[in-house]
């Protein structure tokens, strides 16, 4: 057979396979559409339009998922961002503040992503309700921060919580405690724009009276069977057997949910111009007046529609998303998008020096424009899960920061590490509860008594994973002002007024127990074996 005939045969074979794959995709999309239409028929009449919007959004996401092949980025097109596209925070701060700070603050809305549960730390309910400092919760500290701004500058900066159906009800119950705070608090739900008006006692009482008699259906996106790629859900309810059928579609859902809630138009009508979005468990994500001033008074007169705060990578951050230049625009690249052959290169601290803190400043007018043009483009993250019954499913997610490429004149700002202080584990919790930080008006700042600006590396073992167990093992939080590194493993407890300095490693082997006595000073020590303090 001639080389030409071989090539022609191969081309015809490839073309046939391509056509076959396209037919399969079309049939699969049709099957999913029919399943979603069945689910929609189960929605109550007062929720029908909202549910239809949710399922239409999922169908568009599913269509894109079927169209994409392989990694969503071409590694060869990734370039370092131009120098002027990521500004050092010092340069932003050097511009100073306007004479009338309240004028720029009154253009701001603070949005906290409040969809997560505290299950990874052994807690039930919203993570934002876990006590982190002096019995203050994440939510308490957030409200205190914004109230301090409003009182100091005589402004009206509102707080908006983006809840999920896992956190919505418990969060709304607790909001009543802030009735007398000088902060208007609004809520809306991921994937379902259900608006909650600002807090007032009467409104909340009316809301909760209505809540007793009217069930609230809040559907997210349906999980899909990994084999059939069809939705697991059979109706819009999320109770009983249907509990695991739905999932929050990632924080990228904020744009559509915020728009659909009506809050976007409300705030634009009130003269607000920017939202500051961050995770509620990032205690470093406070309102920064210098960044806000840079947005409200751009040095070149050209408005910036999107600012992403980035900070320098350490070895602990190698998996964090990074900003790159891609096809002429700033683009957030997550590790899930990187071809396997380049994962080690992506993790390199020397090549990719910064990562995304998920502290974002976004123009409200730009969100409205792009949402109405259906022009917000975010890469799909495929997240595999296994349900309690053993069924393998996948959920299609998007990340809020991935939208940066859709906005005009986007900018990265390389901020100090202090603006990234997430609490994901009890190891993080130990740091923020310690004397390493001082608390003022809801904001944590590194203690002036610490000689080094870096945060110690703390690794607590599995005996400390749950908050309840963690608290039981510390009679009081140790003095950590001079600590560099702490590793604790096994059955270990700490007495009152313990001081930890330098590098401290405490390892209780299986079956052993170590009680660090009250008042102990451990400096550059390794403690192992068995040490019991018995009452007498």
């Amino acid at each position: 057979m001639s080389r030409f005939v071989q090539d022609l045969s191969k081309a015809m074979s490839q073309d046939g396979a391509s056509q076959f794959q396209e037919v399969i995709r079309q049939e699969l999309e049709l099957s999913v559409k029919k399943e979603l239409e069945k689910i929609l028929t189960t929605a109550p009449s007062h929720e029908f339009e909202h549910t239809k919007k949710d399922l239409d959004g999922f169908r568009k996401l599913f269509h894109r998922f079927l169209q994409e092949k392989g990694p969503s980025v071409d590694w060869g097109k990734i370039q370092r961002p131009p120098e002027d596209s990521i500004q050092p925070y010092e340069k932003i701060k050097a511009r100073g503040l306007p004479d009338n700070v309240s004028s720029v603050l009154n253009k701001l809305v603070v949005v906290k992503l409040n969809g997560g549960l505290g299950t990874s730390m052994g807690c039930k309910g919203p993570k934002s309700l876990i006590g982190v400092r002096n019995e203050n919760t994440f939510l308490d500290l957030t409200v205190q921060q914004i109230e301090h701004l409003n009182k100091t500058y005589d402004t009206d900066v509102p707080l908006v919580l983006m809840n999920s159906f896992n956190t919505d009800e418990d969060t709304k119950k607790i909001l009543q405690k802030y009735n007398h705070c000088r902060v208007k608090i609004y809520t809306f739900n991921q994937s379902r724009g259900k608006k909650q008006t600002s807090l007032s006692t009467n409104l909340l009482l009316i809301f909760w009276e209505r809540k007793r008699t009217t069930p609230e259906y809040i559907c997210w996106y349906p999980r899909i069977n990994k084999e059939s790629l069809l939705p697991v859900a059979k109706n819009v309810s999320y109770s009983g057997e249907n509990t695991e059928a739905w999932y929050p579609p990632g924080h990228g859902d904020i744009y559509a949910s915020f728009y659909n809630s009506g809050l976007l138009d409300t705030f634009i009508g009130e003269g607000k111009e920017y939202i500051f979005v961050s995770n509620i468990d990032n205690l470093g994500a406070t309102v920064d007046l210098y960044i806000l001033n840079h947005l409200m008074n751009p040095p070149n007169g050209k408005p910036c529609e999107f600012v992403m705060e980035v900070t320098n990578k350490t070895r602990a951050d190698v998996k964090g998303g990074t900003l790159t230049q891609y096809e002429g625009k700033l683009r957030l690249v997550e590790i899930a998008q990187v071809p396997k052959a380049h994962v080690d290169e992506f993790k390199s601290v020397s090549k990719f020096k910064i990562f995304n803190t998920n502290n974002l400043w976004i123009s409200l007018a730009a969100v409205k424009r792009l949402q109405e043009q259906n022009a917000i483009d975010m890469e799909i993250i495929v997240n595999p899960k296994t349900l309690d019954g053993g069924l393998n499913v996948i959920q299609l997610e998007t990340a809020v920061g991935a939208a940066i490429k859709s906005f005009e004149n986007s900018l990265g700002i390389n901020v100090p590490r202090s603006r990234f202080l997430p609490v994901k584990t009890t190891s993080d919790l130990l740091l923020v509860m310690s004397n390493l930080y001082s608390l003022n008006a809801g904001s944590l700042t590194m203690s002036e008594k610490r000689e080094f600006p870096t945060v110690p590396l703390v690794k607590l073992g599995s005996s400390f994973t749950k908050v309840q167990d963690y608290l039981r093992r510390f009679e009081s939080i140790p003095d950590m002002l001079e600590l560099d590194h702490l590793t604790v493993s096994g059955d270990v407890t700490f007495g009152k007024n313990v001081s930890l300095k330098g590098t401290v490693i405490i390892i209780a082997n299986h079956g052993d127990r170590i009680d660090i006595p009250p008042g102990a000073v451990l400096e550059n020590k390794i403690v192992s074996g068995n040490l019991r303090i018995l009452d007498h």
Side-chain angles (χ1 to χ4, degrees), residues 198-271:
S198 57
L199 285 177
S200 77
T201 306
N202 292 336
L203 282 173
L204 276 170
L205 286 174
I206 292 170
F207 175 81
W208 285 108
E209 286 297 324
R210 190 181 298 143
K211 185 90 171 173
R212 292 191 187 103
T213 56
T214 307
E216 183 175 5
Y217 293 81
I218 306 173
C219 81
W220 290 347
Y221 284 180
R223 286 186 167 122
I224 54 180
N225 186 304
K226 189 176 181 179
E227 299 300 324
S228 68
L229 295 184
L230 295 177
V232 176
K234 300 303 177 187
N235 57 62
V236 299
S237 170
Y238 58 86
S239 60
E241 294 181 357
N242 231 29
T243 304
E244 292 188 301
W246 303 94
Y247 72 96
H251 294 145
D253 181 60
I254 186 174
Y255 303 104
S257 297
F258 196 43
Y259 179 87
N260 292 335
S261 73
L263 285 172
L264 178 64
D265 284 334
T266 296
F267 290 133
I268 289 175
E270 292 177 359

Side-chain angles (χ1 to χ4, degrees), residues 114-131 138 163-174 280 467:
N114 185 46
L117 294 171
T119 48
S120 64
M121 295 169 71
C123 296
K124 294 181 179 180
K127 186 176 182 182
S128 58
L129 305 186
I130 295 175
F138 291 103
N163 297 336
S164 65
F165 68 67
N166 281 329
T167 64
D168 187 60
E169 188 168 329
D170 288 338
T171 299
K172 282 175 177 171
K173 286 177 181 177
I174 209 72
I280 199 162
V467 172

Side-chain angles (χ1 to χ4, degrees), residues 87 161 236 278 451 463 487:
Q87 298 278 342
L161 302 173
V236 299
S278 63
E451 296 181 4
S463 299
T487 294

Side-chain angles (χ1 to χ4, degrees), residues 305-306 329-331 366 369-370 373 375-378 401-410:
E305 293 186 345
F306 195 111
K329 303 231 19 172
L330 275 183
R331 180 159 171 175
R369 181 190 76 241
L370 292 171
Q373 294 173 353
I376 295 182
D377 180 20
M378 293 170 285
I404 188 171
K405 65 180 181 181
S406 301
F407 291 81
E408 296 298 323
N409 200 28
S410 297

Side-chain angles (χ1 to χ4, degrees), residues 52 74 82 112 124 226 302 325 368 435 450 474:
K52 187 174 185 300
D74 181 345
K112 292 290 184 180
K124 294 181 179 180
K226 189 176 181 179
K302 188 178 179 182
Q325 179 86 346
K368 181 177 174 66
N435 59 349
R450 181 165 172 82
F474 288 98

Side-chain angles (χ1 to χ4, degrees), residues 302-370:
K302 188 178 179 182
C304 178
E305 293 186 345
F306 195 111
V307 162
M308 175 181 290
E309 293 185 35
V310 297
T311 195
N312 292 339
K313 265 187 182 181
T314 67
R315 302 249 174 232
D317 313 307
V318 293
K319 293 184 179 181
T322 192
L323 269 185
T324 65
Q325 179 86 346
Y326 193 90
E327 296 181 337
K329 303 231 19 172
L330 275 183
R331 180 159 171 175
L332 177 66
V333 176
E334 302 281 1
I335 193 167
Q337 300 168 253
V338 178
K340 288 183 179 179
H342 297 281
V343 167
D344 288 340
E345 188 180 348
F346 175 83
K347 291 181 178 180
S348 168
V349 177
S350 58
K351 182 167 184 178
F352 297 102
K353 301 176 185 292
I354 56 168
F355 72 98
N356 170 31
T357 65
N358 218 38
N359 299 346
L360 309 169
W361 305 74
I362 310 170
S363 161
L364 287 169
V367 173
K368 181 177 174 66
R369 181 190 76 241
L370 292 171

Side-chain angles (χ1 to χ4, degrees), residues 488-504:
V488 183
S489 178
D491 187 1
V492 179
T493 64
F494 292 79
K496 290 184 177 180
N497 303 319
V498 171
S499 181
L500 305 173
K501 302 180 180 183
T503 297
V504 178

